[in-house]
Amino acid sequence: MIKVENLVKQYGDFRAVDDLSFTVEKGEILGFLGPNGAGKSTTMNMITGYNSATEGNVTINGFNIYDEPEKAKRCIGYLPEIPPVYPDMRVREYLSFCTELKEIPKKDRAAEVERVMELLHVKHMQNKLIKHLSKGYRQRVGLAQALVGNPEVLILDEPTVGLDPMQITWMRGLIRSLGKEHTIILSSHILFEVNAVCDRVLIINHGKKLVIDTPENIIRTLGGTSGVRLVVRAEEEDFRMAVGSLPNISRCEKLSEDVGEGLTAYAVYSSDGAEIRDRLFALCAARGFCLFELGAIQKTLEDVFIAMTGEEGSTI
Ligand code: ATP
């Protein structure tokens, strides 16, 4: 379990992290989101004890990271933004070195190296120099070092950076399965990934917490004005005029998708977020527009993130 209380990091007059509090329970994956410079890496560095806090407390499984750093750090596996791999070491040699650093009993070290190599599918690379590995494999070795000793708490800073699409899917699956038995904080700029992998999401900006909740709740409560997508057979001018005559309609956009001969797709938005599907259905029936499809446009985590922070994440 991770407990963060009133955490502050101050550089001169500037607060990179400003009074941040949250907890992550065992068996939970928390997605950590924020635009560039929001304070994610600074927070992760303080949680893992790599950086001191100006104010506040971090407790890992009951051990305060500043009062009992050795005990707290033993519970943490950390994959920083740039994995701490040694380019001139071979994969097995490096992971073996990590078992020494993490004070794994001598008799268990070889088996532990085998375990993490198998988990991360890097065994066939065990005798390669790390500097000769591709970026994706270096990232896997970085995660392997975080898993040495099977720490309960995993802090993963952009774990899928540099991986190809196949590896990304595989890595997300691995993180999800690790999430059942571990406590995980995962930062990512890929909002689709956060939505797919994380149980809850923390969004920060300028070092401050904006929201922490499940992706579904965040989308539902902060998603804002909803829209409706419909596919109709109607003259564009007639359709637009008719929709324009309805009260509280803010926008009617023609969508570029190919929906079939003589058909057109539109997105229609209400100005007050009210349900408008019933009104659009009645309108089409009354005006004789042939309605082929009618459905709500689902907001995404990306929509909420952009609305809250003014920044675009990436989606793949
Ligand atoms: P990114 O998504 O780009 O990795 P981030 O959310 O991880 O960004 P941080 O790296 O935590 O952001 O940086 C937060 C802020 O703190 C930034 O404005 C950064 O310039 C500032 N900062 C970080 N380290 C220092 C330092 N040693 N001295 C002064 N300012 C710093």
Side-chain angles (χ1 to χ4, degrees), residues 213-253:
D213 210 332
T214 61
E216 298 76 26
N217 282 348
I218 291 177
I219 292 166
R220 204 183 57 238
T221 55
L222 302 169
T225 312
S226 54
V228 170
R229 175 186 169 279
L230 34 68
V231 176
V232 288
R233 181 180 290 141
E235 287 300 323
E236 183 175 349
E237 202 183 328
D238 295 346
F239 181 74
R240 283 185 181 281
M241 285 247 305
V243 169
S245 70
L246 290 175
N248 300 346
I249 298 291
S250 65
R251 238 166 59 234
C252 173
E253 281 171 19

Side-chain angles (χ1 to χ4, degrees), residues 15 32 44 109 143 159 164 201 230 289:
R15 283 195 163 197
F32 199 15
M44 289 180 157
R109 286 180 191 166
L143 184 55
D164 68 35
V201 176
L230 34 68
F289 302 143

Side-chain angles (χ1 to χ4, degrees), residues 57-119:
N57 267 313
V58 176
T59 317
I60 308 288
N61 287 355
F63 302 118
N64 186 297
I65 191 85
Y66 303 114
D67 297 341
E68 299 180 279
E70 292 304 319
K71 287 180 182 164
K73 281 184 184 176
R74 215 162 278 155
C75 306
I76 301 176
Y78 184 26
L79 174 67
E81 215 169 352
I82 300 161
V85 289
Y86 292 83
D88 290 316
M89 278 187 165
R90 294 177 195 279
V91 171
R92 169 179 281 280
E93 180 190 16
Y94 168 67
L95 292 172
S96 179
F97 171 61
C98 293
T99 62
E100 283 175 47
L101 288 181
K102 294 200 179 180
E103 296 174 358
I104 308 277
K106 253 189 184 151
K107 63 177 179 39
D108 300 329
R109 286 180 191 166
E112 183 59 2
V113 171
E114 287 296 317
R115 186 185 74 84
V116 293
M117 283 199 304
E118 272 168 25
L119 201 56

Side-chain angles (χ1 to χ4, degrees), residues 11 14 16 34-43 81 157-158 189 204:
Y11 295 112
F14 172 68
N36 291 131
K40 302 180 297 294
S41 298
T42 308
T43 303
E81 215 169 352
D157 203 348
E158 302 195 32
H189 285 290
I204 66 166

Side-chain angles (χ1 to χ4, degrees), residues 126-144:
Q126 60 182 300
N127 294 319
K128 270 209 169 194
L129 287 172
I130 289 176
K131 68 182 172 194
H132 292 156
L133 293 179
S134 68
K135 211 169 161 191
Y137 270 94
R138 223 170 301 155
Q139 190 73 358
R140 286 178 187 224
V141 173
L143 184 55

